[in-house]
Amino acid sequence: MKQPLVEVKNLKKYFPIKKGIFSRTVNHVKAVDGLDFTIFKGETLGLVGESGCGKSTTGRTILQLLQPTEGEVLYEGTNLVGMNPGELRKLRREMQMIFQDPYASLDPRMTVGEIIAEPIIIHGLAHGKERDRRVEELLNVVGLSSYHAKRYAHEFSGGQRQRIGIARALALDPKLIVADEPVSALDVSIQSQVINLLQDLQEQFQLTYLFIAHDLSVVRHISDRIGVMYLGRIVELADKHELFNSPKHPYTKALLSAVPIPNPLVKKERIVLQGDVPSPANPPSGCTFHPRCSECMAICKTEKPILKEVNGQYIACHLYN
């Protein structure tokens, strides 16, 4: 039986909208609006959806980089929400993040060696020559050389910078890594190298990934299960083969129909959604997807569907509820 590493329960993150000279809160942007899912030990859970659906906010909220508005994040049974900073600091060694932009996530004033050594110093894991040896070891693990430690981030390409970010994430021997669109800023040829590196590292160090992306082909390659997000909520969660071969939710079907096929002779029916994504500050009532859904029913406009299991797939849709 699979052991859960992270359990997310009714997770919400609202950002206040303030107006006037007194900065009164007049509304909230509902970036994450009630998520429920589990990440099992050793697996890669992919999280996909349109830009602005709350994927990155979900990852940052799980790691407590953003404080949740409501809900629970259980890490090996321990609720991280509301935990005091001292206790949380001890657990931070086991949870790390790879950021989307390798140009912005590395301090330009520090050498690569200093960047990778910083978390080791903060947590007091190694000193002097032992720390230098650890930095060299990490550089070798991600496909760089020991002499790169004395260079600065601006001297590297985008792919190399992301490898430095991965080395920094590995410095504390974490169990969970949240990868926030780690290859979206890279060339396609470099993307495959970084994805293969992440898979090799997962096998070598028994890592668990939450892999956030909007490129469905990348997510399909690296993930074990995939969750599809729309406007702050998960609308479908399933094994990657089941999701791609038999999507259930109308939004998932539309999303997958947009994936290009690398064969000009094969024709594919394209599902074109009408209208724009509603504002998370003023989401539609009931099912948030109903204004764009071709299969909308009366109940969809008034009642919010819950995520329920249907033949091994979790779907939030009144067609199956």
Side-chain angles (χ1 to χ4, degrees):
M1 185 177 178
K2 293 181 179 179
Q3 294 294 318
L5 182 68
V6 177
E7 296 174 84
V8 175
K9 298 182 179 181
N10 193 34
L11 186 66
K12 296 181 181 180
K13 178 58 183 177
Y14 297 170
F15 295 96
I17 300 174
K18 298 179 182 290
K19 284 188 178 179
I21 58 173
F22 296 109
S23 295
R24 289 178 178 152
T25 299
V26 295
N27 202 351
H28 289 87
V29 174
K30 298 178 179 179
V32 176
D33 193 21
L35 293 185
D36 293 278
F37 62 87
T38 300
I39 307 174
F40 296 104
K41 290 182 180 179
E43 79 161 347
T44 299
L45 176 66
L47 207 54
V48 299
E50 294 173 273
S51 295
C53 71
K55 305 185 299 295
S56 295
T57 303
T58 299
R60 290 168 185 262
T61 307
I62 287 173
L63 296 184
Q64 304 302 296
L65 298 178
L66 296 171
Q67 289 300 312
T69 304
E70 192 179 315
E72 295 181 335
V73 179
L74 302 179
Y75 176 80
E76 293 189 323
T78 302
N79 188 8
L80 303 180
V81 179
M83 184 178 285
N84 71 59
E87 294 175 329
L88 189 58
R89 181 178 173 132
K90 295 176 184 177
L91 287 176
R92 285 205 185 280
R93 286 177 51 184
E94 301 181 16
M95 303 176 290
Q96 293 296 306
M97 189 164 191
I98 301 170
F99 295 93
Q100 176 179 358
D101 188 356
Y103 294 88
S105 62
L106 303 178
D107 192 330
R109 299 166 298 178
M110 300 172 70
T111 65
V112 168
E114 290 170 340
I115 289 170
I116 298 173
E118 187 177 28
I120 299 172
I121 294 169
I122 289 172
H123 289 271
L125 298 183
H127 305 278
K129 291 184 178 180
E130 186 183 347
R131 184 179 66 230
D132 295 339
R133 183 191 58 76
R134 175 65 175 155
V135 170
E136 289 183 10
E137 182 182 288
L138 288 165
L139 285 170
N140 291 327
V141 161
V142 298
L144 297 175
S145 300
S146 57
Y147 63 83
H148 287 139
K150 295 182 180 179
R151 294 186 181 181
Y152 290 87
H154 70 269
E155 299 178 59
F156 294 88
S157 67
Q160 288 175 319
R161 292 186 197 192
Q162 198 59 289
R163 288 173 185 267
I164 295 165
I166 293 170
R168 178 179 56 187
L170 292 173
L172 300 177
D173 292 323
K175 295 180 182 178
L176 170 70
I177 290 182
V178 174
D180 184 12
E181 303 200 29
V183 297
S184 63
L186 307 178
D187 294 337
V188 174
S189 59
I190 305 301
Q191 284 185 11
S192 60
Q193 294 176 18
V194 174
I195 291 296
N196 290 335
L197 172 63
L198 289 171
Q199 290 182 310
D200 292 342
L201 293 174
Q202 183 175 36
E203 185 176 341
Q204 185 176 349
F205 298 108
Q206 287 77 54
L207 298 170
T208 302
Y209 291 144
L210 173 62
F211 191 90
I212 298 166
H214 59 259
D215 189 328
L216 287 162
S217 58
V218 170
V219 174
R220 184 179 191 176
H221 180 72
I222 196 172
S223 301
D224 298 302
R225 291 185 302 139
I226 299 173
V228 180
M229 281 190 72
Y230 183 81
L231 218 61
R233 295 174 62 86
I234 287 181
V235 296
E236 187 164 356
L237 177 63
D239 175 84
K240 67 176 179 181
H241 300 294
E242 293 177 350
L243 189 84
F244 276 83
N245 295 332
S246 179
K248 297 289 192 295
H249 197 280
Y251 176 66
T252 308
K253 293 177 182 178
L255 207 61
L256 294 179
S257 76
V259 179
I261 297 175
N263 186 344
L265 301 178
V266 177
K267 291 190 176 182
K268 184 178 182 182
E269 184 181 353
R270 176 82 162 85
I271 301 173
V272 181
L273 297 176
Q274 302 300 315
D276 297 322
V277 181
S279 168
N282 187 27
S285 60
C287 174
T288 52
F289 184 63
H290 86 257
R292 307 174 72 194
C293 183
S294 60
E295 302 183 59
C296 177
M297 303 177 289
I299 191 174
C300 302
K301 300 178 182 179
T302 55
E303 287 189 30
K304 189 176 290 187
I306 60 173
L307 196 67
K308 294 180 71 174
E309 184 179 2
V310 179
N311 298 326
Q313 293 177 240
Y314 289 86
I315 306 141
C317 181
H318 288 300
L319 290 171
Y320 302 92
N321 287 178

